[in-house]
């Protein structure tokens, strides 16, 4: 008797449901085709929906009927589709982030490299897209812009300017946001603290997209944008260096190098705030995040982080939860 023969029907049905890729792909497809938007605009018949979305009516109907069975969309009369609560969730930014042509598509396809990643212990994103993740984004500015939008979206994390655990803002004259994306967090901090000057460090293409965010916030006069790699020496002499959602992208060797670059730039009197990617000791989060297939990165416990920081010449000075709910770690150069 094989192991499969031993399984109860409920156990094998559960595994089938857990390993079903059909429903996630159907959701990505209708999001890419903007079907929820079209229905919200009053186009409900399958033929006109398919014409509007420039796709095949029969195949689209099969996809929509599958989703109706799964509780997304309703079909009040045959061949006519309508939004229900779940389908309304597709309206707005969610739809954009599920679009297979943007960052949502990159993440979806990247899961196909998990087996290679597990075999080798390194990301295998390049096997699918031909380039490592960040290089692929630099080569595709439209996908990179969709990534920036995801990072700046409320769903990811609303930038909250209260990022200090100790001391007060009077001591801070310059903030350097390392890997600061298109500047959403830096803009919030500078808005809240008019005496502060900011430096935004990220890839040249990314900081070039920061202009409108900084201008809308009215802070562009106080921000210097620096297009460079954070693996190279960083602008020195800042009072506060921020690393938000950066270290969890990277394996230990690279994470340590980024920390070392921050330590040498912050020396002797600056400090470093790590926002995100470090978990309080004792808290366990075993669920995988896309970092494993995109970049090989991971969250670290505070103890694991302390070790990394020590090797990078940094000492953990304070830890705690910020008003945003983010667990933060403050480090000082040794
Ligand atoms: C997960 S995003 C976080 C962005 C921002 N800190 C936030 O929390 O919204 C990682 C950022 O690191 C930047 N990045 C990745 N590799 C980099 C490198 N070698 N040098 C500079 N920036 C890099 C990316 O462009 C991206 O903006």
């Amino acid at each position: 008797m094989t192991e499969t023969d031993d399984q109860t029907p409920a156990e094998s049905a559960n595994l089938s449901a857990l390993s079903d890729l059909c429903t996630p792909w159907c959701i990505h497809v209708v999001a890419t085709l903007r079907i929820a938007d079209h229905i919200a605009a009053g186009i409900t018949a399958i033929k006109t929906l398919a014409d509007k979305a420039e796709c095949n009516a029969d195949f689209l109907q099969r996809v929509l009927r599958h989703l109706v069975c799964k509780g997304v969309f309703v079909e009040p009369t045959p061949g006519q589709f309508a939004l229900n609560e779940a389908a309304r969730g597709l309206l707005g930014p969610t739809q954009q982030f599920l679009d297979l042509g943007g960052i949502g598509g990159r993440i979806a396809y990247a899961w196909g490299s998990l087996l290679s990643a597990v075999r080798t212990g390194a990301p295998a994103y390049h096997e699918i897209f031909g380039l490592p993740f960040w290089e692929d984004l630099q080569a595709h500015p439209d996908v990179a812009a969709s990534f920036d939008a995801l990072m700046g979206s409320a769903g990811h994390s609303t930038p909250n300017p209260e990022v200090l655990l100790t001391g007060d803002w009077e001591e801070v004259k310059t903030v350097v946001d390392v890997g600061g994306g298109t500047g959403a967090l830096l803009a919030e901090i500078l808005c809240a603290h008019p005496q502060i000057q900011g430096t935004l460090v990220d890839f040249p293409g990314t900081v070039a997209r920061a202009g409108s965010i900084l201008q809308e916030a009215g802070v562009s006069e106080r921000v210097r944008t620096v297009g460079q790699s954070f693996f190279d020496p960083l602008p020195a002499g800042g009072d506060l260096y921020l690393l938000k959602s950066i270290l969890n992208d990277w394996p230990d060797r690279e994470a340590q190098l980024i920390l070392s670059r921050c330590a040498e730039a912050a020396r002797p009197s600056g400090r470093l705030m790590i926002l995100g990617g470090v978990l309080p000791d004792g808290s366990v989060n075993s669920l995988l995040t896309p970092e494993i297939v995109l970049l090989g990165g991971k969250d670290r416990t505070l103890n694991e982080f302390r070790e990394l920081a020590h090797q990078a010449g940094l000492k953990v000075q304070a830890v705690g939860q910020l008003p945003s709910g983010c667990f933060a770690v403050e480090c000082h150069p040794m």
Side-chain angles (χ1 to χ4, degrees):
M1 198 181 250
T2 65
E3 261 186 30
T4 320
D5 294 332
D6 280 342
Q7 282 179 343
T8 66
E11 280 166 344
S12 74
N14 191 24
L15 279 177
S16 300
L18 284 172
S19 58
D20 166 46
L21 295 180
C22 171
T23 306
W25 278 109
C26 287
I27 290 175
H28 279 291
V29 165
V30 296
T32 306
L33 296 174
R34 301 291 189 267
I35 298 300
D37 278 354
H38 299 324
I39 294 177
I43 303 168
T44 58
I46 190 64
K47 176 78 179 70
T48 21
L49 263 179
D51 285 348
K52 184 77 184 167
E54 299 180 354
C55 66
N56 179 278
D58 176 47
F59 275 52
L60 178 62
Q61 178 158 272
R62 289 163 64 187
V63 165
L64 283 172
R65 284 186 170 159
H66 174 86
L67 288 175
V68 168
C69 290
K70 297 287 178 182
V72 189
F73 297 101
V74 286
E75 188 178 3
T77 52
Q80 299 273 342
F81 292 88
L83 302 177
N84 59 3
E85 201 185 331
R88 268 188 290 277
L90 282 167
L91 300 170
T94 306
Q95 191 160 236
Q96 184 194 337
F97 298 136
L98 290 166
D99 188 324
L100 287 168
I103 186 63
R106 287 302 204 270
I107 294 171
Y109 290 112
W111 282 114
S113 66
L114 182 61
L115 177 60
S116 260
V118 169
R119 283 203 165 121
T120 62
Y125 181 93
H126 59 281
E127 288 179 9
I128 299 201
F129 292 105
L131 289 171
F133 179 68
W134 293 119
E135 288 172 37
D136 177 41
L137 260 56
Q138 298 314 299
H140 296 94
D142 49 336
V143 181
S146 122
F147 176 83
D148 296 340
L150 177 62
M151 287 296 107
S153 72
H156 179 250
S157 56
T158 311
N160 184 318
E162 292 320 311
V163 296
L164 293 190
L165 286 173
T166 66
D168 56 43
W169 286 102
E170 297 310 308
E171 303 158 14
V172 180
K173 301 278 174 290
T174 48
V175 176
V176 184
D177 196 354
V178 179
T182 44
L185 175 62
L186 197 56
E188 290 288 327
I189 292 173
L190 266 60
C191 274
H193 304 287
Q195 80 285 6
I196 292 179
Q197 303 286 321
T199 302
L200 180 67
V201 178
D202 208 295
F203 288 122
T206 307
V207 296
R209 289 191 294 276
S212 57
I213 290 177
L214 300 174
Q215 253 159 26
E216 268 170 39
V219 299
S220 45
E221 301 288 291
R222 288 187 282 137
V223 178
R224 180 164 72 104
T225 56
V226 180
Q228 66 154 81
S229 170
F230 49 43
F231 294 113
D232 293 332
L234 291 166
D239 298 312
L240 181 65
Y241 288 78
L242 303 176
L243 281 175
K244 175 171 166 284
S245 305
I246 299 295
L247 296 181
N248 50 312
D249 280 349
W250 297 95
D252 286 348
R253 197 175 62 89
E254 287 84 356
Q256 191 193 316
L257 178 53
I258 298 167
L259 285 170
S260 300
R261 289 302 188 200
C262 291
E264 68 195 26
R267 231 168 246 127
S269 55
R271 60 181 142 153
L272 179 56
M273 289 298 301
I274 316 300
L275 313 172
V278 182
L279 306 171
D281 281 329
S283 68
V284 185
N285 182 4
S286 304
L287 294 178
L288 288 182
T289 58
E291 282 80 9
I292 191 172
V293 283
L294 301 180
L295 293 149
K298 59 176 181 182
D299 286 339
R300 293 176 176 84
T301 64
L302 186 54
N303 266 339
E304 289 168 334
F305 173 78
R306 265 184 220 283
E307 179 60 31
L308 210 58
H310 182 78
Q311 286 162 5
L314 289 162
K315 181 171 174 297
V316 172
Q317 197 73 17
V319 299
Q321 204 157 20
L322 297 173
S324 62
C326 171
F327 184 71
V329 185
E330 178 179 333
C331 300
H332 291 210
M334 291 192 284

